[in-house]
Amino acid sequence: MTSASKEFKMHRSTADRLLKGLTERIAIYNDNPWKPYVVERAVVFGSYVNAPEREMLSDLDIGIKLTDRYEGKICKTAFELEYDEILERCPSYRHRLEMPVAMWGLTYDDALRYLRNRSHYISFHPIGGDAAIFSNVTQEIDVGEIDRSTDWYDDLFGDFP
């Protein structure tokens, strides 16, 4: 008798490629001041780091800590209002595709969706403090420098309310 669902596995080289792509997307996402969140910390854990001799892996476990890019309600409220307005004005998916690229990824789920890049092999797990939630052995992912300055906002819209 066979199982109804077959567990899909990937080669370690695929996991390496996915990790490289994820690292690049984190840098791009963190570099965009229009995004209301930043990846403050990301780590790889699980079989990828615990069993380096294993060639076949079931997934790439990523501990991730997303935080607000800006303090308080300085920009976040403006972003949320703009996003709500976009959803009202652009009821269909096709219309949302036409909105400016800078506006993509304004919600927490949108951020994770962008970072995952449709890969069903990447598993995100929220982390807090200094440790991943499931493992003591981790490999840090370079998230780059995080710019939380609001000079660009002042230049475009004037002083914060």
Side-chain angles (χ1 to χ4, degrees):
M1 191 183 275
T2 61
S3 172
S5 66
K6 181 179 180 187
E7 184 178 333
F8 294 100
K9 299 232 179 203
M10 67 175 158
H11 285 273
R12 181 165 289 277
S13 60
T14 301
D16 292 339
R17 182 178 47 79
L18 290 173
L19 183 58
K20 182 176 186 259
L22 175 64
T23 304
E24 290 168 359
R25 286 189 301 282
I26 288 173
I28 291 167
Y29 189 86
N30 278 353
D31 201 36
N32 187 338
W34 285 94
K35 304 298 185 189
Y37 300 102
V38 291
V39 179
E40 192 171 293
R41 184 169 183 232
V43 297
V44 184
F45 65 98
S47 58
Y48 184 84
V49 292
N50 289 333
E53 72 286 346
R54 190 180 299 168
E55 273 303 307
M56 299 301 287
L57 305 168
S58 59
D59 66 350
L60 188 60
D61 290 307
I62 305 293
I64 192 161
K65 182 176 184 181
L66 280 175
T67 58
D68 293 339
R69 178 181 295 273
Y70 303 106
E71 301 287 319
K73 58 182 186 176
I74 290 177
C75 271
K76 193 159 182 216
T77 303
F79 281 121
E80 288 171 349
L81 289 174
E82 280 187 70
Y83 189 70
D84 289 342
E85 188 175 314
I86 286 170
L87 292 180
E88 284 178 20
R89 290 184 181 185
C90 304
S92 73
Y93 182 72
R94 182 180 65 80
H95 288 108
R96 288 182 199 161
L97 288 177
E98 295 169 2
M99 69 183 178
V101 173
M103 299 301 291
W104 295 353
L106 293 181
T107 68
Y108 187 89
D109 288 339
D110 289 338
L112 293 179
R113 217 174 282 117
Y114 168 76
L115 295 171
R116 183 175 282 119
N117 197 31
R118 297 184 177 189
S119 174
H120 61 274
Y121 288 119
I122 296 176
S123 298
F124 286 125
H125 306 275
I127 59 174
D130 293 327
I133 56 174
F134 295 123
S135 175
N136 292 332
V137 179
T138 62
Q139 175 184 326
E140 291 287 331
I141 297 173
D142 181 18
V143 297
E145 285 199 38
I146 298 172
D147 181 11
R148 295 179 191 268
S149 70
T150 56
D151 299 339
W152 62 273
Y153 189 91
D154 292 336
D155 293 343
L156 288 175
F157 303 111
D159 292 332
F160 288 121

Short mmCIF file of all heavy atoms in Angstrom, two decimals, residues 9 16 28 33-34 55 59 79 86 94 111 153 158:
data_model
loop_
_atom_site.label_atom_id
_atom_site.label_comp_id
_atom_site.label_asym_id
_atom_site.label_seq_id
_atom_site.Cartn_x
_atom_site.Cartn_y
_atom_site.Cartn_z
N LYS A 9 11.34 16.00 -2.09
CA LYS A 9 12.66 16.33 -1.56
C LYS A 9 13.42 17.13 -2.61
O LYS A 9 13.12 17.07 -3.79
CB LYS A 9 13.43 15.05 -1.23
CG LYS A 9 12.75 14.21 -0.19
CD LYS A 9 13.70 13.89 0.90
CE LYS A 9 12.98 13.07 1.95
NZ LYS A 9 13.62 13.17 3.22
N ASP A 16 20.92 25.40 -1.72
CA ASP A 16 21.93 26.45 -1.81
C ASP A 16 21.46 27.58 -2.73
O ASP A 16 21.61 28.76 -2.41
CB ASP A 16 23.26 25.89 -2.33
CG ASP A 16 23.93 24.94 -1.36
OD1 ASP A 16 23.62 24.99 -0.15
OD2 ASP A 16 24.76 24.12 -1.82
N ILE A 28 17.26 43.32 -1.35
CA ILE A 28 16.44 44.20 -2.18
C ILE A 28 15.26 44.75 -1.37
O ILE A 28 14.96 45.95 -1.42
CB ILE A 28 15.92 43.44 -3.43
CG1 ILE A 28 17.09 43.15 -4.37
CG2 ILE A 28 14.83 44.23 -4.14
CD1 ILE A 28 16.76 42.16 -5.47
N PRO A 33 12.90 51.89 0.71
CA PRO A 33 12.31 52.66 1.81
C PRO A 33 10.78 52.68 1.78
O PRO A 33 10.16 53.08 2.75
CB PRO A 33 12.89 54.06 1.61
CG PRO A 33 13.23 54.13 0.16
CD PRO A 33 13.62 52.73 -0.24
N TRP A 34 10.18 52.25 0.68
CA TRP A 34 8.72 52.23 0.59
C TRP A 34 8.12 51.03 1.31
O TRP A 34 6.91 50.97 1.50
CB TRP A 34 8.27 52.23 -0.87
CG TRP A 34 8.43 53.57 -1.50
CD1 TRP A 34 9.49 54.02 -2.21
CD2 TRP A 34 7.50 54.64 -1.45
NE1 TRP A 34 9.28 55.31 -2.60
CE2 TRP A 34 8.06 55.72 -2.16
CE3 TRP A 34 6.24 54.80 -0.87
CZ2 TRP A 34 7.41 56.92 -2.30
CZ3 TRP A 34 5.59 56.01 -1.03
CH2 TRP A 34 6.18 57.07 -1.73
N GLU A 55 22.37 14.84 1.35
CA GLU A 55 22.20 15.39 0.01
C GLU A 55 20.75 15.77 -0.31
O GLU A 55 20.51 16.70 -1.05
CB GLU A 55 22.70 14.39 -1.05
CG GLU A 55 24.16 14.50 -1.34
CD GLU A 55 24.59 15.89 -1.80
OE1 GLU A 55 23.99 16.44 -2.74
OE2 GLU A 55 25.52 16.44 -1.18
N ASP A 59 12.99 20.52 3.12
CA ASP A 59 12.70 21.94 2.99
C ASP A 59 13.86 22.76 3.52
O ASP A 59 14.84 22.22 4.01
CB ASP A 59 11.39 22.33 3.70
CG ASP A 59 11.47 22.17 5.22
OD1 ASP A 59 12.46 21.59 5.72
OD2 ASP A 59 10.56 22.64 5.90
N PHE A 79 1.34 54.29 4.82
CA PHE A 79 1.41 53.12 3.94
C PHE A 79 0.10 52.36 3.95
O PHE A 79 -0.41 51.96 2.92
CB PHE A 79 2.53 52.17 4.39
CG PHE A 79 3.89 52.61 3.96
CD1 PHE A 79 4.88 52.86 4.90
CD2 PHE A 79 4.21 52.74 2.63
CE1 PHE A 79 6.15 53.24 4.52
CE2 PHE A 79 5.47 53.12 2.23
CZ PHE A 79 6.44 53.38 3.18
N ILE A 86 -5.48 51.77 -2.61
CA ILE A 86 -5.17 51.00 -3.82
C ILE A 86 -6.16 49.84 -3.97
O ILE A 86 -6.66 49.57 -5.06
CB ILE A 86 -3.72 50.47 -3.77
CG1 ILE A 86 -2.75 51.62 -4.01
CG2 ILE A 86 -3.49 49.36 -4.78
CD1 ILE A 86 -1.31 51.28 -3.74
N ARG A 94 -5.62 42.18 -12.00
CA ARG A 94 -4.98 42.78 -13.17
C ARG A 94 -4.67 44.26 -12.91
O ARG A 94 -3.58 44.74 -13.22
CB ARG A 94 -5.87 42.66 -14.40
CG ARG A 94 -5.24 43.21 -15.67
CD ARG A 94 -6.16 43.06 -16.87
NE ARG A 94 -7.37 43.83 -16.74
CZ ARG A 94 -7.44 45.16 -17.00
NH1 ARG A 94 -6.38 45.82 -17.34
NH2 ARG A 94 -8.58 45.79 -16.91
N ALA A 111 5.06 40.68 2.34
CA ALA A 111 6.52 40.62 2.51
C ALA A 111 7.00 39.17 2.47
O ALA A 111 7.96 38.84 1.77
CB ALA A 111 6.92 41.28 3.82
N TYR A 153 10.92 60.79 2.88
CA TYR A 153 9.51 61.08 3.11
C TYR A 153 9.31 62.58 3.28
O TYR A 153 8.39 63.15 2.72
CB TYR A 153 9.02 60.32 4.36
CG TYR A 153 7.52 60.39 4.56
CD1 TYR A 153 6.70 59.43 4.01
CD2 TYR A 153 6.94 61.43 5.28
CE1 TYR A 153 5.32 59.48 4.19
CE2 TYR A 153 5.58 61.50 5.45
CZ TYR A 153 4.76 60.53 4.91
OH TYR A 153 3.41 60.59 5.08
N GLY A 158 6.70 66.51 2.96
CA GLY A 158 6.79 67.50 4.03
C GLY A 158 7.00 66.80 5.35
O GLY A 158 7.27 65.61 5.42
#
